[in-house]
Short mmCIF file of all heavy atoms in Angstrom, two decimals:
data_model
loop_
_atom_site.label_atom_id
_atom_site.label_comp_id
_atom_site.label_asym_id
_atom_site.label_seq_id
_atom_site.Cartn_x
_atom_site.Cartn_y
_atom_site.Cartn_z
N THR L 377 11.32 23.20 8.65
CA THR L 377 11.96 22.72 7.42
C THR L 377 11.17 21.51 6.90
O THR L 377 10.00 21.65 6.61
CB THR L 377 13.45 22.42 7.66
OG1 THR L 377 13.60 21.46 8.72
CG2 THR L 377 14.21 23.70 8.02
N CYS L 378 11.79 20.37 6.80
CA CYS L 378 11.14 19.23 6.13
C CYS L 378 9.91 18.74 6.89
O CYS L 378 9.96 18.53 8.11
CB CYS L 378 12.13 18.08 6.00
SG CYS L 378 11.52 16.69 5.03
N PRO L 379 8.79 18.54 6.20
CA PRO L 379 7.62 17.96 6.88
C PRO L 379 7.82 16.47 7.10
O PRO L 379 8.72 15.85 6.54
CB PRO L 379 6.49 18.21 5.87
CG PRO L 379 7.17 18.16 4.55
CD PRO L 379 8.52 18.81 4.77
N VAL L 380 6.98 15.89 7.93
CA VAL L 380 6.93 14.44 8.06
C VAL L 380 6.32 13.88 6.78
O VAL L 380 5.24 14.29 6.37
CB VAL L 380 6.09 14.01 9.28
CG1 VAL L 380 5.93 12.50 9.32
CG2 VAL L 380 6.75 14.53 10.56
N LEU L 381 7.03 12.98 6.15
CA LEU L 381 6.60 12.45 4.85
C LEU L 381 6.38 10.96 4.95
O LEU L 381 7.20 10.23 5.53
CB LEU L 381 7.66 12.78 3.80
CG LEU L 381 7.33 12.44 2.35
CD1 LEU L 381 7.85 13.53 1.42
CD2 LEU L 381 7.93 11.10 1.95
N TRP L 382 5.26 10.50 4.41
CA TRP L 382 4.96 9.07 4.38
C TRP L 382 3.99 8.82 3.23
O TRP L 382 3.50 9.75 2.61
CB TRP L 382 4.35 8.61 5.70
CG TRP L 382 2.85 8.69 5.76
CD1 TRP L 382 1.97 7.67 5.63
CD2 TRP L 382 2.05 9.88 5.95
NE1 TRP L 382 0.67 8.13 5.74
CE2 TRP L 382 0.70 9.48 5.93
CE3 TRP L 382 2.35 11.22 6.12
CZ2 TRP L 382 -0.34 10.38 6.07
CZ3 TRP L 382 1.31 12.11 6.26
CH2 TRP L 382 -0.02 11.69 6.24
N GLY L 383 3.76 7.55 2.95
CA GLY L 383 2.80 7.26 1.88
C GLY L 383 2.60 5.78 1.68
O GLY L 383 3.18 4.94 2.37
N GLN L 384 1.79 5.47 0.68
CA GLN L 384 1.42 4.09 0.36
C GLN L 384 0.79 4.12 -1.01
O GLN L 384 0.40 5.20 -1.51
CB GLN L 384 0.44 3.57 1.43
CG GLN L 384 -0.13 2.20 1.20
CD GLN L 384 0.93 1.12 1.08
OE1 GLN L 384 1.45 0.90 0.00
NE2 GLN L 384 1.25 0.47 2.19
N LEU L 385 0.67 2.98 -1.64
CA LEU L 385 -0.08 2.92 -2.88
C LEU L 385 -1.47 3.49 -2.65
O LEU L 385 -2.18 3.07 -1.72
CB LEU L 385 -0.18 1.47 -3.38
CG LEU L 385 1.10 0.86 -3.96
CD1 LEU L 385 0.84 -0.59 -4.32
CD2 LEU L 385 1.58 1.64 -5.17
N GLY L 386 -1.88 4.44 -3.50
CA GLY L 386 -3.15 5.12 -3.30
C GLY L 386 -4.35 4.21 -3.15
O GLY L 386 -5.15 4.38 -2.21
N PRO L 387 -4.54 3.22 -4.04
CA PRO L 387 -5.71 2.35 -3.91
C PRO L 387 -5.75 1.61 -2.57
O PRO L 387 -6.84 1.37 -2.03
CB PRO L 387 -5.55 1.37 -5.08
CG PRO L 387 -4.78 2.14 -6.10
CD PRO L 387 -3.81 2.97 -5.30
N ASN L 388 -4.58 1.25 -2.02
CA ASN L 388 -4.55 0.61 -0.71
C ASN L 388 -4.76 1.63 0.40
O ASN L 388 -5.47 1.36 1.39
CB ASN L 388 -3.23 -0.12 -0.51
CG ASN L 388 -3.05 -1.30 -1.43
OD1 ASN L 388 -4.02 -1.77 -2.03
ND2 ASN L 388 -1.85 -1.79 -1.56
N ALA L 389 -4.14 2.79 0.24
CA ALA L 389 -4.25 3.82 1.28
C ALA L 389 -5.68 4.31 1.45
O ALA L 389 -6.07 4.74 2.54
CB ALA L 389 -3.32 4.99 0.94
N GLN L 390 -6.46 4.26 0.37
CA GLN L 390 -7.86 4.67 0.48
C GLN L 390 -8.59 3.86 1.54
O GLN L 390 -9.54 4.33 2.17
CB GLN L 390 -8.57 4.47 -0.87
CG GLN L 390 -8.12 5.44 -1.93
CD GLN L 390 -8.78 5.22 -3.28
OE1 GLN L 390 -8.40 5.83 -4.25
NE2 GLN L 390 -9.78 4.34 -3.35
N HIS L 391 -8.15 2.61 1.75
CA HIS L 391 -8.79 1.73 2.73
C HIS L 391 -8.02 1.71 4.05
O HIS L 391 -8.27 0.86 4.90
CB HIS L 391 -8.89 0.31 2.17
CG HIS L 391 -9.69 0.24 0.90
ND1 HIS L 391 -11.07 0.15 0.89
CD2 HIS L 391 -9.30 0.27 -0.39
CE1 HIS L 391 -11.49 0.11 -0.36
NE2 HIS L 391 -10.45 0.19 -1.16
N ALA L 392 -7.07 2.64 4.17
CA ALA L 392 -6.25 2.69 5.38
C ALA L 392 -6.33 4.07 6.03
O ALA L 392 -7.10 4.28 6.96
CB ALA L 392 -4.80 2.31 5.05
N PHE L 393 -5.57 5.05 5.50
CA PHE L 393 -5.48 6.33 6.22
C PHE L 393 -6.17 7.49 5.52
O PHE L 393 -6.08 8.63 5.99
CB PHE L 393 -4.01 6.68 6.50
CG PHE L 393 -3.12 6.76 5.29
CD1 PHE L 393 -3.14 7.86 4.45
CD2 PHE L 393 -2.23 5.73 5.02
CE1 PHE L 393 -2.30 7.94 3.36
CE2 PHE L 393 -1.39 5.80 3.92
CZ PHE L 393 -1.42 6.91 3.08
N TYR L 394 -6.89 7.26 4.41
CA TYR L 394 -7.59 8.38 3.79
C TYR L 394 -8.70 8.93 4.68
O TYR L 394 -9.12 10.08 4.51
CB TYR L 394 -8.20 7.94 2.45
CG TYR L 394 -7.28 8.06 1.26
CD1 TYR L 394 -5.92 7.80 1.37
CD2 TYR L 394 -7.77 8.43 0.02
CE1 TYR L 394 -5.08 7.89 0.28
CE2 TYR L 394 -6.94 8.52 -1.09
CZ TYR L 394 -5.59 8.25 -0.95
OH TYR L 394 -4.77 8.35 -2.03
N GLN L 395 -9.18 8.14 5.62
CA GLN L 395 -10.18 8.65 6.56
C GLN L 395 -9.63 9.89 7.26
O GLN L 395 -10.33 10.90 7.42
CB GLN L 395 -10.56 7.58 7.58
CG GLN L 395 -11.46 8.06 8.71
CD GLN L 395 -12.81 8.58 8.22
OE1 GLN L 395 -13.38 8.04 7.29
NE2 GLN L 395 -13.29 9.66 8.84
N LEU L 396 -8.37 9.83 7.67
CA LEU L 396 -7.76 10.98 8.33
C LEU L 396 -7.64 12.14 7.35
O LEU L 396 -7.88 13.30 7.71
CB LEU L 396 -6.37 10.61 8.87
CG LEU L 396 -5.61 11.73 9.59
CD1 LEU L 396 -4.81 11.16 10.75
CD2 LEU L 396 -4.66 12.48 8.64
N LEU L 397 -7.29 11.85 6.09
CA LEU L 397 -7.15 12.92 5.11
C LEU L 397 -8.47 13.66 4.90
O LEU L 397 -8.50 14.89 4.79
CB LEU L 397 -6.66 12.37 3.77
CG LEU L 397 -5.31 11.62 3.76
CD1 LEU L 397 -4.96 11.20 2.34
CD2 LEU L 397 -4.21 12.49 4.35
N HIS L 398 -9.56 12.91 4.86
CA HIS L 398 -10.85 13.51 4.53
C HIS L 398 -11.55 14.15 5.73
O HIS L 398 -12.22 15.18 5.59
CB HIS L 398 -11.78 12.46 3.91
CG HIS L 398 -11.40 12.09 2.51
ND1 HIS L 398 -11.31 13.01 1.49
CD2 HIS L 398 -11.09 10.90 1.96
CE1 HIS L 398 -10.97 12.38 0.37
NE2 HIS L 398 -10.82 11.12 0.63
N GLN L 399 -11.43 13.52 6.91
CA GLN L 399 -12.22 14.01 8.03
C GLN L 399 -11.44 14.16 9.33
O GLN L 399 -12.03 14.46 10.37
CB GLN L 399 -13.42 13.06 8.28
CG GLN L 399 -14.46 13.09 7.16
CD GLN L 399 -15.67 12.23 7.50
OE1 GLN L 399 -15.54 11.05 7.82
NE2 GLN L 399 -16.85 12.83 7.45
N GLY L 400 -10.14 13.98 9.29
CA GLY L 400 -9.35 14.12 10.50
C GLY L 400 -9.07 15.58 10.83
O GLY L 400 -9.51 16.50 10.14
N THR L 401 -8.32 15.80 11.88
CA THR L 401 -8.00 17.16 12.33
C THR L 401 -6.64 17.62 11.82
O THR L 401 -6.27 18.78 12.04
CB THR L 401 -7.98 17.22 13.87
OG1 THR L 401 -7.03 16.28 14.38
CG2 THR L 401 -9.35 16.88 14.43
N GLN L 402 -5.90 16.73 11.16
CA GLN L 402 -4.55 17.04 10.70
C GLN L 402 -4.56 17.44 9.23
O GLN L 402 -5.02 16.68 8.38
CB GLN L 402 -3.64 15.80 10.86
CG GLN L 402 -2.23 15.98 10.36
CD GLN L 402 -1.42 16.89 11.27
OE1 GLN L 402 -1.42 16.74 12.48
NE2 GLN L 402 -0.73 17.84 10.67
N ALA L 403 -4.07 18.63 8.93
CA ALA L 403 -3.93 19.04 7.53
C ALA L 403 -2.74 18.31 6.92
O ALA L 403 -1.68 18.19 7.54
CB ALA L 403 -3.72 20.54 7.43
N VAL L 404 -2.92 17.81 5.71
CA VAL L 404 -1.90 17.01 5.03
C VAL L 404 -1.82 17.45 3.57
O VAL L 404 -2.84 17.54 2.89
CB VAL L 404 -2.21 15.50 5.09
CG1 VAL L 404 -1.12 14.70 4.40
CG2 VAL L 404 -2.38 15.04 6.54
N GLU L 405 -0.61 17.71 3.10
CA GLU L 405 -0.41 17.92 1.66
C GLU L 405 -0.21 16.56 1.01
O GLU L 405 0.48 15.69 1.55
CB GLU L 405 0.84 18.77 1.41
CG GLU L 405 1.11 19.00 -0.07
CD GLU L 405 2.43 19.68 -0.35
OE1 GLU L 405 3.23 19.85 0.59
OE2 GLU L 405 2.66 20.04 -1.52
N CYS L 406 -0.80 16.34 -0.17
CA CYS L 406 -0.72 15.05 -0.84
C CYS L 406 -0.17 15.20 -2.25
O CYS L 406 -0.48 16.17 -2.95
CB CYS L 406 -2.10 14.39 -0.92
SG CYS L 406 -2.85 14.03 0.68
N ASP L 407 0.64 14.23 -2.65
CA ASP L 407 1.09 14.13 -4.04
C ASP L 407 0.46 12.88 -4.65
O ASP L 407 0.74 11.75 -4.21
CB ASP L 407 2.61 13.99 -4.13
CG ASP L 407 3.34 15.29 -3.83
OD1 ASP L 407 2.67 16.28 -3.49
OD2 ASP L 407 4.58 15.29 -3.92
N PHE L 408 -0.39 13.07 -5.65
CA PHE L 408 -0.99 11.97 -6.40
C PHE L 408 -0.15 11.73 -7.66
O PHE L 408 0.13 12.67 -8.40
CB PHE L 408 -2.43 12.29 -6.78
CG PHE L 408 -3.37 12.35 -5.61
CD1 PHE L 408 -3.58 13.55 -4.92
CD2 PHE L 408 -4.04 11.23 -5.19
CE1 PHE L 408 -4.44 13.61 -3.84
CE2 PHE L 408 -4.91 11.26 -4.11
CZ PHE L 408 -5.11 12.47 -3.43
N ILE L 409 0.24 10.47 -7.90
CA ILE L 409 1.13 10.14 -9.01
C ILE L 409 0.52 8.98 -9.80
O ILE L 409 0.14 7.96 -9.21
CB ILE L 409 2.53 9.74 -8.50
CG1 ILE L 409 3.10 10.85 -7.61
CG2 ILE L 409 3.47 9.43 -9.66
CD1 ILE L 409 4.34 10.44 -6.84
N ALA L 410 0.43 9.13 -11.12
CA ALA L 410 -0.17 8.06 -11.94
C ALA L 410 0.31 8.17 -13.38
O ALA L 410 0.56 9.27 -13.88
CB ALA L 410 -1.69 8.15 -11.90
N PRO L 411 0.42 7.03 -14.08
CA PRO L 411 0.69 7.06 -15.52
C PRO L 411 -0.63 7.18 -16.29
O PRO L 411 -1.64 6.60 -15.90
CB PRO L 411 1.34 5.70 -15.77
CG PRO L 411 0.72 4.80 -14.76
CD PRO L 411 0.42 5.65 -13.54
N LEU L 412 -0.61 7.93 -17.39
CA LEU L 412 -1.82 8.08 -18.19
C LEU L 412 -2.13 6.83 -19.00
O LEU L 412 -3.30 6.48 -19.17
CB LEU L 412 -1.68 9.29 -19.12
CG LEU L 412 -1.80 10.66 -18.45
CD1 LEU L 412 -1.39 11.75 -19.42
CD2 LEU L 412 -3.21 10.89 -17.93
N ARG L 413 -1.11 6.17 -19.51
CA ARG L 413 -1.31 5.00 -20.36
C ARG L 413 -0.70 3.77 -19.72
O ARG L 413 0.36 3.83 -19.10
CB ARG L 413 -0.68 5.21 -21.75
CG ARG L 413 -1.32 6.31 -22.57
CD ARG L 413 -0.88 6.23 -24.03
NE ARG L 413 0.57 6.25 -24.17
CZ ARG L 413 1.29 7.37 -24.23
NH1 ARG L 413 0.71 8.54 -24.15
NH2 ARG L 413 2.61 7.32 -24.38
N ARG L 414 -1.41 2.63 -19.93
CA ARG L 414 -0.86 1.36 -19.47
C ARG L 414 -1.54 0.22 -20.23
O ARG L 414 -2.68 0.36 -20.69
CB ARG L 414 -1.06 1.19 -17.96
CG ARG L 414 -0.21 0.04 -17.41
CD ARG L 414 -0.22 -0.09 -15.92
NE ARG L 414 0.66 -1.20 -15.54
CZ ARG L 414 0.71 -1.77 -14.36
NH1 ARG L 414 -0.06 -1.32 -13.40
NH2 ARG L 414 1.53 -2.77 -14.13
N TYR L 415 -0.83 -0.88 -20.37
CA TYR L 415 -1.32 -2.15 -20.94
C TYR L 415 -1.53 -2.09 -22.45
O TYR L 415 -2.14 -2.99 -23.02
CB TYR L 415 -2.63 -2.59 -20.27
CG TYR L 415 -2.49 -2.82 -18.79
CD1 TYR L 415 -3.31 -2.14 -17.87
CD2 TYR L 415 -1.55 -3.72 -18.28
CE1 TYR L 415 -3.19 -2.36 -16.50
CE2 TYR L 415 -1.42 -3.92 -16.91
CZ TYR L 415 -2.24 -3.25 -16.03
OH TYR L 415 -2.12 -3.45 -14.68
N ASP L 416 -0.99 -1.08 -23.13
CA ASP L 416 -1.13 -1.04 -24.58
C ASP L 416 -0.45 -2.22 -25.26
O ASP L 416 -0.83 -2.60 -26.38
CB ASP L 416 -0.54 0.27 -25.14
CG ASP L 416 -1.37 1.48 -24.75
OD1 ASP L 416 -2.53 1.30 -24.34
OD2 ASP L 416 -0.85 2.61 -24.84
N ASP L 417 0.57 -2.79 -24.61
CA ASP L 417 1.35 -3.84 -25.26
C ASP L 417 0.90 -5.25 -24.90
O ASP L 417 1.53 -6.24 -25.29
CB ASP L 417 2.83 -3.69 -24.88
CG ASP L 417 3.05 -3.72 -23.37
OD1 ASP L 417 2.04 -3.65 -22.62
OD2 ASP L 417 4.22 -3.79 -22.94
N VAL L 418 -0.21 -5.41 -24.18
CA VAL L 418 -0.73 -6.75 -23.88
C VAL L 418 -1.28 -7.37 -25.16
O VAL L 418 -2.12 -6.77 -25.84
CB VAL L 418 -1.83 -6.68 -22.79
CG1 VAL L 418 -2.46 -8.05 -22.57
CG2 VAL L 418 -1.24 -6.14 -21.49
N GLU L 419 -0.79 -8.55 -25.52
CA GLU L 419 -1.11 -9.12 -26.83
C GLU L 419 -2.55 -9.58 -26.95
O GLU L 419 -3.22 -9.31 -27.94
CB GLU L 419 -0.16 -10.28 -27.12
CG GLU L 419 1.29 -9.85 -27.33
CD GLU L 419 2.18 -11.00 -27.73
OE1 GLU L 419 1.65 -12.13 -27.91
OE2 GLU L 419 3.39 -10.79 -27.85
N ASP L 420 -3.06 -10.29 -25.95
CA ASP L 420 -4.42 -10.81 -26.05
C ASP L 420 -5.43 -9.66 -25.91
O ASP L 420 -5.43 -8.92 -24.92
CB ASP L 420 -4.67 -11.84 -24.94
CG ASP L 420 -6.08 -12.42 -25.00
OD1 ASP L 420 -6.35 -13.22 -25.90
OD2 ASP L 420 -6.88 -12.02 -24.13
N ALA L 421 -6.30 -9.51 -26.91
CA ALA L 421 -7.20 -8.35 -26.97
C ALA L 421 -8.15 -8.31 -25.78
O ALA L 421 -8.38 -7.24 -25.19
CB ALA L 421 -7.99 -8.38 -28.27
N ALA L 422 -8.73 -9.46 -25.41
CA ALA L 422 -9.70 -9.48 -24.31
C ALA L 422 -9.01 -9.13 -22.99
O ALA L 422 -9.52 -8.33 -22.19
CB ALA L 422 -10.37 -10.84 -24.22
N THR L 423 -7.84 -9.73 -22.76
CA THR L 423 -7.10 -9.43 -21.53
C THR L 423 -6.68 -7.97 -21.50
O THR L 423 -6.77 -7.31 -20.46
CB THR L 423 -5.86 -10.33 -21.43
OG1 THR L 423 -6.27 -11.70 -21.48
CG2 THR L 423 -5.10 -10.07 -20.13
N ARG L 424 -6.23 -7.47 -22.66
CA ARG L 424 -5.82 -6.07 -22.73
C ARG L 424 -6.97 -5.14 -22.35
O ARG L 424 -6.78 -4.20 -21.58
CB ARG L 424 -5.32 -5.74 -24.14
CG ARG L 424 -4.84 -4.29 -24.29
CD ARG L 424 -4.18 -4.04 -25.63
NE ARG L 424 -5.08 -4.25 -26.75
CZ ARG L 424 -5.01 -5.24 -27.62
NH1 ARG L 424 -4.07 -6.17 -27.49
NH2 ARG L 424 -5.87 -5.35 -28.62
N GLU L 425 -8.17 -5.42 -22.85
CA GLU L 425 -9.30 -4.55 -22.57
C GLU L 425 -9.69 -4.62 -21.09
O GLU L 425 -10.02 -3.60 -20.48
CB GLU L 425 -10.48 -4.90 -23.46
CG GLU L 425 -11.66 -3.93 -23.33
CD GLU L 425 -11.24 -2.47 -23.52
OE1 GLU L 425 -10.37 -2.20 -24.38
OE2 GLU L 425 -11.77 -1.60 -22.80
N HIS L 426 -9.62 -5.83 -20.49
CA HIS L 426 -9.92 -5.94 -19.06
C HIS L 426 -8.91 -5.14 -18.23
O HIS L 426 -9.30 -4.40 -17.31
CB HIS L 426 -9.89 -7.41 -18.63
CG HIS L 426 -11.14 -8.16 -18.95
ND1 HIS L 426 -12.36 -7.85 -18.40
CD2 HIS L 426 -11.36 -9.22 -19.79
CE1 HIS L 426 -13.29 -8.67 -18.86
NE2 HIS L 426 -12.71 -9.51 -19.72
N LEU L 427 -7.63 -5.28 -18.57
CA LEU L 427 -6.60 -4.58 -17.81
C LEU L 427 -6.69 -3.07 -18.01
O LEU L 427 -6.51 -2.29 -17.06
CB LEU L 427 -5.21 -5.10 -18.20
CG LEU L 427 -4.88 -6.51 -17.72
CD1 LEU L 427 -3.58 -7.00 -18.34
CD2 LEU L 427 -4.80 -6.57 -16.19
N LYS L 428 -6.97 -2.64 -19.22
CA LYS L 428 -7.12 -1.20 -19.45
C LYS L 428 -8.34 -0.66 -18.70
O LYS L 428 -8.33 0.49 -18.23
CB LYS L 428 -7.23 -0.93 -20.96
CG LYS L 428 -5.90 -1.13 -21.70
CD LYS L 428 -6.05 -0.94 -23.20
CE LYS L 428 -6.11 0.52 -23.58
NZ LYS L 428 -4.82 1.21 -23.35
#
Side-chain angles (χ1 to χ4, degrees):
T377 57
C378 187
V380 174
L381 186 141
W382 90 102
Q384 175 58 274
L385 287 177
N388 293 345
Q390 290 178 188
H391 301 276
F393 57 78
Y394 273 37
Q395 173 61 38
L396 180 144
L397 301 183
H398 287 302
Q399 292 185 306
T401 58
Q402 177 72 47
V404 181
E405 179 188 8
C406 298
D407 287 3
F408 292 90
I409 305 169
L412 286 170
R413 295 194 305 274
R414 194 173 182 193
Y415 300 124
D416 291 343
D417 57 349
V418 175
E419 292 185 4
D420 180 73
T423 303
R424 181 172 62 250
E425 187 52 37
H426 279 297
L427 289 172
K428 288 176 78 68

